[in-house]
Amino acid sequence: MSDAEIFNAVILWIVVAIVIIFVFTIIARSIRIIPQAYAGIVERLGRYHKTLNPGLNILVPFIDRLRPLVDMREQVVSFPPQPVITEDNLVVSIDTVVFFQVNDARAATYEIANYLGAVEQLTTTTLRNVVGGLNLEEALTSRDNINTQLRVVLDESTGKWGIRVGRVELKAIDPPVSIQDSMEKQMRAERDRRAVILTAEGTKQSQILEAEGMRQSEILRAEGDAKAAVLRAQGEAEAITTVFGAIHAGNPDSKLLAYQYLQTLPKIADGDSNKLWIIPSELTEALKGITPGFFEAARGGAKS
């Protein structure tokens, strides 16, 4: 084989290789695989052409250009603390977390240059407007209200950018150190006041319960004494009735009654506390009643 033939063969192989490389390049630039949860913006000759969905897509080489993919998932962005002036002229530091999602890749690409930075700046300005109309105490206790207002304003403003704001949360609201010290002292005083009130309330309830218990005890004791007195009176009445019935059944004479009366007199004076015994006037009548009996008994013995 001559040198000319060798040269022609080399040129031929070079051309074939160039064609093969060109074909592979065209194929490589024509086929685009879009991952799940992403979207691709295609520009044809510098203008928007279409949005590529996840999967295999075919482009026109050297005419169509694929821009960087747009993440269609919900994103969570935490912004650094921002100084905000409240209605009572206090500077508080507030950091926020925004949950948003791109639902229109075309609008997010062409309607705003940097939608992440825009969301951050819009969140800061909206936060200052909302919190600027509240005092410190309202800002600390109205987080849900602030979150709702921020979400509504951000969602309305970012809608034209193809972004949907799903949620806004305030991570922390940090007042100045001097205000924190004052708030801590106030809370400590409030806790001490509540502790004193609870202690006094407990003491009051304890005294009420103790008094109620003593009252119930006295009532029960009085009821017991009353029932005991009634039972004693009933017993004495029954005893008197029984004795009275027995006396009437025995039909005693005046001498026997006088004798029983004399036997009862020593029992009246019985007791350690009795220092003086007064003789009742009925004693002479009782002696008169039993004296004839003694004389009759004496005469009867003499006769026998």
Side-chain angles (χ1 to χ4, degrees):
M1 183 179 292
S2 62
D3 293 338
E5 293 176 348
I6 294 174
F7 178 76
N8 293 331
V10 171
I11 294 299
L12 180 61
W13 281 108
I14 291 175
V15 172
V16 171
I18 292 175
V19 171
I20 293 174
I21 292 173
F22 181 74
V23 171
F24 275 106
T25 302
I26 292 177
I27 295 174
R29 294 179 65 89
S30 301
I31 298 176
R32 288 291 184 270
I33 298 177
I34 306 300
Q36 184 67 35
Y38 286 86
I41 300 298
V42 177
E43 293 179 348
R44 176 166 291 180
L45 299 177
R47 299 183 62 181
Y48 171 77
H49 177 57
K50 64 179 179 178
T51 301
L52 300 183
N53 295 321
L56 181 64
N57 296 271
I58 304 298
L59 303 180
V60 178
F62 306 107
I63 297 178
D64 293 340
R65 184 175 73 91
L66 180 64
R67 292 182 63 92
L69 299 180
V70 179
D71 193 347
M72 305 297 290
R73 296 172 298 178
E74 186 173 10
Q75 303 180 45
V76 181
V77 181
S78 177
F79 299 131
Q82 300 293 330
V84 179
I85 301 177
T86 61
E87 188 181 21
D88 46 359
N89 295 324
L90 293 176
V91 179
V92 296
S93 180
I94 303 177
D95 52 344
T96 57
V97 178
V98 179
F99 298 78
F100 68 92
Q101 183 178 13
V102 177
N103 53 16
D104 188 350
R106 178 184 178 280
T109 302
Y110 295 108
E111 297 296 334
I112 187 71
N114 181 8
Y115 62 81
L116 188 59
V119 170
E120 179 180 1
Q121 296 301 320
L122 184 60
T123 302
T124 301
T125 55
T126 306
L127 182 63
R128 288 174 178 172
N129 291 334
V130 173
V131 178
L134 304 174
N135 56 40
L136 179 60
E137 185 176 358
E138 292 174 344
L140 293 175
T141 57
S142 304
R143 290 196 177 192
D144 292 338
N145 186 24
I146 297 174
N147 294 338
T148 302
Q149 294 186 46
L150 287 176
R151 189 194 65 79
V152 171
V153 174
L154 290 176
D155 195 30
E156 291 178 353
S157 301
T158 58
K160 62 180 180 180
W161 302 338
I163 297 174
R164 182 186 63 84
V165 177
R167 189 175 179 183
V168 180
E169 293 290 342
L170 301 183
K171 289 178 61 178
I173 301 178
D174 299 326
V177 178
S178 59
I179 300 299
Q180 293 182 13
D181 295 338
S182 300
M183 293 173 62
E184 184 178 357
K185 292 179 181 179
Q186 181 180 358
M187 292 301 298
R188 188 182 301 112
E190 181 66 19
R191 287 193 295 268
D192 294 341
R193 185 183 69 85
R194 291 180 180 178
V196 171
I197 291 175
L198 291 176
T199 302
E201 187 68 22
T203 304
K204 174 184 175 183
Q205 292 295 331
S206 176
Q207 293 177 353
I208 291 174
L209 293 176
E210 184 178 357
E212 182 67 21
M214 293 179 63
R215 187 179 71 86
Q216 292 292 336
S217 176
E218 292 295 333
I219 291 174
L220 293 176
R221 186 180 296 109
E223 291 178 352
D225 293 341
K227 291 181 179 180
V230 171
L231 293 176
R232 284 195 298 269
Q234 291 178 353
E236 292 176 357
E238 292 178 358
I240 292 173
T241 302
T242 303
V243 172
F244 186 76
I247 292 173
H248 280 277
N251 194 16
D253 55 5
S254 58
K255 298 177 181 179
L256 178 58
L257 293 176
Y259 179 72
Q260 290 294 331
Y261 179 74
L262 291 176
Q263 285 184 336
T264 306
L265 285 177
K267 294 180 180 180
I268 297 176
D270 190 12
D272 297 334
S273 61
N274 293 331
K275 304 300 183 181
L276 181 64
W277 186 27
I278 299 174
I279 298 175
S281 59
E282 291 85 358
L283 178 60
T284 55
E285 297 296 332
L287 290 176
K288 292 178 181 180
I290 63 173
T291 299
F294 282 110
F295 286 115
E296 290 179 1
R299 285 195 298 266
K303 290 180 180 182
S304 60

